[in-house]
Amino acid sequence: MDPTIKDFEAALTELDTIVKKLEDGDIPLEQSLQLFERGVQLSRFCHARLEEAERRIEILNERGQLQDAPAGLLTDDGDTLKAKGKS
Amino acid sequence: MSSFFDLPFEEPASAEAAGGKDEPMAATPLPPEPDARRILTVSQLTARIRTLLEEQFFEVWVEGELSNCKVWTSGHMYFTLKDRGSQIKGVMFGSALRLLRFKPQDGLRVVARGRVSVYGPKGEYQIACEHMEPEGLGARQLAFEQLKERLAAAGFFDPQRKRPLPALPRKIGIVTSLDGAAVRDIIKVLRRRYANAHLVIRPTRVQGDGAAMDIMRAVRAIGRVPDVDVVIIGRGGGSIEDLWAFNEEVVARAIAGCPVPTISAVGHETDVTIADFVADLRAPTPSAAAEMVVSRKDDFCARIDRLSQQLARTMDARLHRLDARLRLLESRSGYAGAHGRIAMRSRHAAELSHELRRAIREQLARRERAYHALRLKLETFDLRRRLGSIRTRLVAADGQLGAAFTRAHHRHDARLRTAVARLESLSPLAVLGRGYAVCWDADRTRVIRDASSVSPGDRVRVTLNRGELDCEVSKGGPG
């Protein structure tokens, strides 16, 4: 993604700061437009990051390999889980 | 019923009770006599037994093995405490049960503190426990305290060591058993709060021999998985023995050495383990850990949307102000040209205003391009409509601005024409058109107003409406 944005948290914090700056400060129009544009960029980034993560459960096994978790883990059915977990 | 009275403590109890009162009682012959002869009702007898037992065993410590443990919906636990030869029924009320740091279970040897009470309707007695602890707790407790002290001295619990959790973890690591309820609780909560969370689970034994080493390896392994930026380490509730692995030094050190922030979630709220002290954050339960690890996605979305809206609103207000200021400037410029200003100044002003106008037009064009670009970017946003209105306003502002300057320009042009006409009307040369002429000296440096200032033979110049004459004075003198 955008190399100027460190991570979700930083983006959210910066967005906060920009909104405050725009609200409080009497900054030149040109600069406030830049801030506005940056703000739009940041909120897009945040939204994207929220959607980005894969809905996925992996199991890290003893040998350090990642495998998809048994389907039983995703259900509320404890018996399925137990059966899978023990197999 | 007769066996009921064979209770082991009836005799010592009565003996003890009699002990202090022997003498005075002997002095008064009456009490024992009627007692022996009087026929009691069952209730009276039971009442006396109750008084006897409850006074004598107001607070006792008893050790034995738990069996038939059952927690009722009321929250009270009923059980039997036994040793090889005897057993006694017991109850522990929910209020006391909740304070226990372990889970009483069948087969567990415990030391219990309580009072003996009699339940008349059934002719039963039982021990009502206020406190209970597993036998052998003392040694474990000591080990716990010592390790805690050692780790504290080594700086493992220092507040400045605690790292903040990432706001939105990329992958969430979980170290727990796949068989327990904890893993499902965590998954359930995470799915609810942040449906597309990516979880990496490192299964581990959480109790029994070797559990501590297993947990240690699991914590080390999961900390190395790329993108895992927070780790939940925990298990569901259990007895203090069940939770003990989380009080082991190897686990504590593994947690302290984890390269990403950790949350410990061991047992219930009242269970405190060494892992809790070492982890960056302690969660009272595994579910609570899942809640701590990520805010609701909805909350994030709401926050971002709120910020975006504020952003748009602020820009909107900004444009409003800009517009108002332009109007003000425009209205001021109407007063700029006072009467009598000369044409040059006016022309100069017109030129300046033209430049200004071009500069502002450029600015507006640039701004409009910026907005256009932004608008394209915003296609997927709720903001779009908002920005659309801003853009409309901007275009309107641009139009107003243009119109304002056009008006100003026209006014300047008109003023220029007026000024030039005025200047012309004031010009002495204008009268020449009516047939007047101006007479200058030969150098055309001085207007000749007096005939005596020239002599015959002098040369003069005469300016006519069109052209000039070079003349020689033939006759002169005062008129």
Side-chain angles (χ1 to χ4, degrees), chain A residues 7-48:
Chain A
D7 57 23
F8 180 84
E9 200 168 358
L12 210 53
T13 313
E14 193 183 342
L15 186 57
D16 249 329
T17 317
I18 283 177
V19 169
K20 277 201 194 76
K21 228 190 245 175
L22 280 177
E23 276 178 344
D24 305 343
D26 195 17
I27 30 178
L29 184 66
E30 204 57 40
Q31 197 188 332
S32 70
L33 268 161
Q34 277 165 16
L35 285 176
F36 179 76
E37 187 172 7
R38 176 69 173 167
V40 170
Q41 207 181 3
L42 290 166
S43 66
R44 272 181 65 87
F45 172 87
C46 288
H47 271 297

Side-chain angles (χ1 to χ4, degrees), chain A residues 12 16 22-23 27 29 33 36-37 43-44 46-47 50-51 53-56 58-60 81, chain B residues 184 191 195-199 201-202 297 303-305 307 310 314-315 318 367 371 374 377 381:
Chain A
L12 210 53
D16 249 329
L22 280 177
E23 276 178 344
I27 30 178
L29 184 66
L33 268 161
F36 179 76
E37 187 172 7
S43 66
R44 272 181 65 87
C46 288
H47 271 297
L50 276 172
E51 301 304 330
E54 268 185 287
R55 185 201 168 102
R56 203 167 163 195
E58 289 175 304
I59 301 283
L60 178 66
L81 172 69
Chain B
R184 279 200 309 283
R191 282 275 171 265
N196 48 338
H198 189 153
L199 316 181
I201 303 169
R202 173 62 158 79
K297 187 180 169 186
R303 186 170 160 206
I304 296 163
D305 287 347
L307 286 170
Q310 266 171 289
T314 311
M315 279 314 289
R318 184 82 207 234
R367 229 172 284 153
Y371 265 94
L374 283 180
K377 284 186 185 173
F381 275 77

Side-chain angles (χ1 to χ4, degrees), chain B residues 84-102:
Chain B
R84 269 182 208 172
S86 307
Q87 60 181 46
I88 181 173
K89 286 191 173 177
V91 60
M92 188 156 201
F93 295 110
S95 52
L97 193 62
R98 274 195 296 277
L99 296 177
L100 288 188
R101 298 261 290 264
F102 74 105

Side-chain angles (χ1 to χ4, degrees), chain B residues 28-322:
Chain B
T28 47
L30 271 174
E33 285 282 318
D35 249 21
R37 286 182 196 161
R38 224 172 96 190
I39 298 166
L40 301 171
T41 64
V42 174
S43 292
Q44 284 170 331
L45 179 59
T46 305
R48 294 186 66 168
I49 292 171
R50 180 204 304 278
T51 310
L52 198 65
L53 292 184
E54 292 186 357
E55 277 178 7
Q56 287 307 307
F57 301 101
F58 180 70
E59 181 173 296
V60 287
W61 286 87
V62 56
E63 72 175 305
E65 186 187 314
L66 283 173
S67 65
N68 299 325
C69 282
K70 188 168 161 78
V71 178
W72 289 59
T73 47
S74 59
H76 310 326
M77 180 181 74
Y78 294 87
F79 57 91
T80 304
L81 202 58
K82 61 181 185 185
D83 58 19
R84 269 182 208 172
S86 307
Q87 60 181 46
I88 181 173
K89 286 191 173 177
V91 60
M92 188 156 201
F93 295 110
S95 52
L97 193 62
R98 274 195 296 277
L99 296 177
L100 288 188
R101 298 261 290 264
F102 74 105
K103 193 177 157 204
Q105 284 173 326
D106 289 353
L108 203 64
R109 292 193 61 79
V110 296
V111 177
R113 174 171 56 80
R115 57 187 167 82
V116 173
S117 69
V118 171
Y119 182 56
K122 282 200 161 178
E124 287 177 353
Y125 69 100
Q126 63 185 359
I127 180 162
C129 287
E130 277 128 38
H131 182 69
M132 191 182 281
E133 50 190 59
E135 213 181 50
L137 177 74
R140 280 187 184 278
Q141 203 61 40
L142 189 66
F144 177 91
E145 293 300 338
Q146 284 174 343
L147 176 59
K148 192 176 148 194
E149 222 167 89
R150 200 160 65 241
L151 292 177
F156 276 59
F157 310 153
D158 288 356
Q160 60 265 33
R161 270 196 74 255
K162 308 287 180 196
R163 294 163 289 191
L165 304 185
L168 187 75
R170 283 167 296 180
K171 291 182 188 175
I172 299 164
I174 301 166
V175 170
T176 191
S177 161
L178 283 188
D179 296 328
V183 71
R184 279 200 309 283
D185 288 349
I186 292 174
I187 292 171
K188 212 187 300 173
V189 172
L190 284 176
R191 282 275 171 265
R192 201 174 60 218
R193 296 171 73 85
Y194 180 38
N196 48 338
H198 189 153
L199 316 181
V200 178
I201 303 169
R202 173 62 158 79
T204 173
R205 276 178 295 163
V206 289
Q207 67 188 74
D209 287 343
M213 292 301 282
D214 212 6
I215 296 168
M216 174 204 77
R217 280 193 295 269
V219 172
R220 284 190 182 167
I222 205 146
R224 288 197 295 261
V225 175
D227 286 351
V228 165
D229 42 25
V230 63
V231 176
I232 298 172
I233 299 147
R235 56 156 293 152
S239 72
I240 197 157
E241 282 90 353
D242 290 344
L243 307 185
W244 200 256
F246 294 88
N247 286 326
E248 299 280 0
E249 187 164 356
V250 284
V251 171
R253 290 192 179 274
I255 291 173
C258 187
V260 296
T262 51
I263 305 176
S264 75
V266 182
H268 297 299
E269 194 155 356
T270 49
D271 299 317
V272 179
T273 62
I274 296 287
D276 292 330
F277 292 108
V278 187
D280 293 291
L281 200 63
R282 175 198 179 236
T285 62
S287 301
E291 281 174 15
M292 288 173 176
V293 83
V294 61
S295 299
R296 294 179 164 283
K297 187 180 169 186
D298 296 351
D299 291 347
F300 276 131
C301 287
R303 186 170 160 206
I304 296 163
D305 287 347
R306 202 182 57 237
L307 286 170
S308 302
Q309 276 166 20
Q310 266 171 289
L311 202 61
R313 210 165 40 230
T314 311
M315 279 314 289
D316 211 4
R318 184 82 207 234
L319 285 174
H320 254 294
R321 282 203 306 276
L322 177 79

